[in-house]
Every structure is written in structure tokens, then in C-alpha cells.
Amino acid sequence: MKPYILVEPFCGMAALSFALMGCQPPISWMGSKRGYCRVLMELLGLSRHHPPAAFIWSDTGPNVAALACLSGARGDARDVAGWVWHSAQAYSPVKAGTLQGLYIRTNNKQNISTSQLSANVADITLPRAPEVAAIIRGWKDEEPRALWTRLKAAGWPSLLLPEGSGGRWLGPQSVEEVAAWLWVGGHENPFGNDVKPQFTPEAVGRATWAPPPKEWLADRVATLPTKPPMVACWQGRAEDMRLPERLDGWITYLDPPYSGTTGYKHGGCTRDAVLALARDYDRRGATVAISEAVRLDDALPGWHAVQIDGERVGQKRTFSKQQHEWVTMNRKPVVVPGVQASLFGAR
Ligand SMILES: C[S@@+](CC[C@H](N)C(=O)[O-])C[C@H]1O[C@@H](n2cnc3c(N)ncnc32)[C@H](O)[C@@H]1O
């Protein structure tokens, strides 16, 4: 399989990307696809033994800024595309143009020498996950509620889109703010989606009330990649994220807010906008897969829709009203989930 770039334009906690890196997202996330990673990989023919050469993540919220810091993101989509092309050139000689349409940021030419390559790769930022984990570990003796209140009051301005900004490519953010945001929980509700926080004195100290154990979170963060994966992160609307014109060989996985369900605090995207984005990526040569609670092949003729409700691994979503889970793709799925035949023949 050729080197490929994975784009998650509605990344949340990027469960699919982390699964392809062989690890898990640092915290839970509303709408996370953690339980569906296995089937998503099968549909797309992906494996953690052949991870993407680079990732591009976008989201409207502070989550993507935290991910940028943890993964050592730097630069924009063109940089990432350039790095991929560089490594293809350096390690497995291929003809220039194999990864078509890539724009080499360094000098705009595709004949880059080894010394230019090492100069370029040398300034790739390292992931800050170990530093974030060390900070969380340092809080181990602090009283949880006081800590939670203090961190929440301090906020995390470096992780939020500056007022009036139409979006930005992210570099590493403040390590302290990333640690604080992760521990406070990322969702305003530090106690998980299914438990409402109760800020009453009686509730303090109750087990169900506790934020994620600090040690647990520090350990989870410490398992994130310490080698630089190639990552670019866009904070802003997916519709505004600029990618190279040609996306041949790229895989785009769209997991937008599901139409008609609880919205996300920092952004939304209409069904029409999602479909327009999917058609545009398709036109530019990318493989496109969209998750939704309904099939979308009526609006995307010739695409393939696969129902994956039964493929979820792990806990069922007891708190969700959502009944179905579909993936609609512009390529034939590589492996389709098996369907259990009825014991007594067709009904
Ligand atoms: C279903 S969640 C994605 C979950 C993700 N696949 C995971 O496994 O964690 C949808 C995400 O889209 C983000 N979002 C909403 N509108 C957006 C937009 N216009 N552009 C980019 N992201 C958006 C939300 O903030 C939310 O994190």
C-alpha cells in the first residue's frame, strides 16, 4: 500500500487516527467512534500495521488544540503533504509525482536534496504528551474539587479560537493549559457524558462525582506517541480548511455532528454542508467515508452505504437515543461486516 494521508475534518478526539497509531484517545468524547474503529478500518482497508504517513485533523473546539500539542503538530496541510513526499523520496525512491498534486512548502520544487530533507525534518516539533502527563501527575495530591475549580477558573485561552478568527493552523499550545483542559474533562462536564455534574456540597467526594483519576489520565496521555507523527491541525470549520487541490491517495473520514441530534458547544455543520464537502473531496480524488445515523447514498448516487450498528465494540451507548449507525463511502468497502443469516431461513 502506498503512503497515504488520513484527514479527519470533524476530528473530536480522533479515535480512528489514534487506533491507527495503535493507541486510544486521551479522554472520552461525545460521539466518539472508539467502539467502531475496527469496522471503520475494515471498510477502508486500513490497519495499524500500515498507519497513515500523516494526519490532518480539524475541529472547531479546544479539543483540536489539545491534540495539536500532544502530537507535535506544526504547519499546515501543505507542510504535511510535503513531509510525506520527502520521506517517500528519501526512503523508497519513487518517481516525482507519485503522490500527485503535493505542494512542497520548502522551495516549491519537487527535486529536494537529502540535506534539504534533513533540514526540513529537523524542525518538526516533538509531541508534548510526556510533559502534559508530568503536569497531570504533579497534581496527584491536590484535592480534586479545589483543583477542578482552580483550573476551570484559569481557563485555557491558548486552546480557543481567538475572537473574530476565521480559523487557524495550529502549532503546539500551552502545555499547562492542555493538561488542565484534559483533566477538567474537555466537555464542561468532567464526569462523562452520562453523568450530570452535581455541584452540591454533599456530592463532593462521592465516587461517581470524581473527575477522571489524575493518575489514570496521566498514564493514558503518556501512552500517546512520543515520536513525531506527521500532523497538521486546523482549528475552525472543516468547510474553511484549505487542502491541496488534488487529494489522490488521501483518505478523508467525515464524522460530523449527526443531523437532528444534540449539538456541540463550539460548532455545527448542516447536512447540506457535509454533503458538499464530501462531493468536493470526491471530485479532488480522495477516498471519502461519512458516518451518520442514516444512509446518505440517496444524496450521493453511486456511493456505497453500509449499516454498522452491530459492529460496535465495548459498551453500548445506553444514554443515546441514536438507533442506527451508517457509513457511506465513495469507494467499494474493502471488507463488509457479515450479516447473521436467520436460523430458520429467510423471513
Ligand atoms: C461526532 S464528533 C467526532 C467524533 C470523532 N470521530 C471521535 O472519534 O472522537 C463531531 C465533531 O465535529 C465538530 N464540529 C462541529 N461542527 C464542525 C465544523 N463545521 N467543522 C469542524 N468540526 C466541527 C464537533 O466539535 C465535534 O467534535
Side-chain angles (χ1 to χ4, degrees):
M1 193 179 178
K2 285 188 187 155
Y4 67 99
I5 295 180
L6 178 69
V7 189
E8 290 207 54
F10 303 89
C11 71
M13 270 293 130
L16 178 63
S17 295
F18 281 112
L20 285 165
M21 287 188 234
C23 53
Q24 295 175 6
I27 55 170
S28 64
W29 192 251
M30 186 167 135
S32 167
K33 286 300 171 298
R34 222 182 114 188
Y36 289 108
C37 286
R38 197 200 56 198
V39 61
L40 289 170
M41 288 193 226
E42 283 177 357
L43 293 171
L44 288 162
L46 303 178
S47 151
R48 72 191 174 96
H49 301 295
H50 185 74
F55 300 87
I56 298 176
W57 298 326
S58 98
D59 204 292
T60 39
N63 48 310
V64 68
L67 294 178
C69 181
L70 294 171
S71 62
R74 191 219 58 168
D76 64 23
R78 294 171 308 176
D79 289 304
V80 167
W83 296 332
V84 172
W85 187 84
H86 287 172
S87 44
Q89 282 294 90
Y91 303 118
S92 64
V94 286
K95 273 208 207 134
T98 301
L99 289 165
Q100 287 168 22
L102 299 185
Y103 172 96
I104 305 303
R105 183 80 181 273
T106 341
N107 64 359
N108 270 331
K109 289 183 197 151
Q110 297 213 334
N111 54 345
I112 286 175
S113 70
T114 316
S115 58
Q116 285 170 312
L117 167 67
S118 44
N120 193 51
V121 172
D123 61 20
I124 293 176
T125 321
L126 285 171
R128 310 293 294 273
E131 288 168 60
V132 171
I135 292 174
I136 298 171
R137 233 177 260 290
W139 294 327
K140 73 179 168 27
D141 298 323
E142 286 196 53
E143 197 279 313
R145 186 176 185 190
L147 175 63
W148 191 86
T149 309
R150 173 167 72 77
L151 295 177
K152 177 122 179 68
W156 26 84
S158 83
L159 311 191
L160 300 171
L161 200 54
E163 193 128 354
S165 163
R168 56 177 176 167
W169 289 101
L170 293 157
Q173 308 300 305
S174 150
V175 177
E176 289 75 18
E177 289 177 18
V178 170
W181 181 81
L182 285 174
W183 189 71
V184 167
H187 268 167
E188 296 302 300
N189 173 359
F191 311 103
N193 295 320
D194 44 351
V195 185
K196 291 244 177 318
Q198 307 157 46
F199 294 100
T200 62
E202 309 79 65
V204 177
R206 281 220 304 262
T208 54
W209 211 84
K214 294 184 263 299
E215 282 298 290
W216 176 91
L217 182 58
D219 288 348
R220 179 69 81 86
V221 170
T223 64
L224 297 178
T226 47
K227 282 198 214 125
M230 293 179 182
V231 181
C233 291
W234 167 255
Q235 187 173 37
R237 294 177 345 138
E239 307 90 293
D240 300 331
M241 173 172 60
R242 290 191 60 193
L243 298 178
E245 173 51 26
R246 290 306 306 171
L247 303 175
D248 306 86
W250 292 42
I251 296 179
T252 57
Y253 170 57
L254 280 57
D255 185 20
Y258 288 6
S259 212
T261 58
T262 318
Y264 289 83
K265 184 172 177 208
H266 295 278
C269 195
T270 62
R271 169 72 56 75
D272 284 347
V274 171
L275 292 172
L277 202 57
R279 287 191 192 102
D280 185 43
Y281 291 158
D282 173 56
R283 177 189 62 76
R284 291 156 73 179
T287 295
V288 187
I290 317 166
S291 279
E292 240 298 358
V294 292
R295 59 192 305 157
L296 297 174
D297 52 343
D298 286 352
L300 298 166
W303 289 40
H304 307 265
V306 187
Q307 190 164 14
I308 59 166
D309 310 4
E311 300 301 310
R312 187 180 170 87
V313 174
Q315 251 184 342
K316 294 274 170 251
R317 297 196 220 190
T318 46
F319 53 90
S320 170
K321 290 198 200 84
Q322 186 197 330
Q323 299 295 321
H324 300 296
E325 188 71 40
W326 286 83
V327 177
T328 307
M329 308 173 54
N330 68 341
R331 306 266 190 273
K332 222 170 149 217
V334 176
V335 175
V336 181
V339 178
Q340 176 71 57
S342 161
L343 186 59
F344 302 106
R347 278 182 290 170

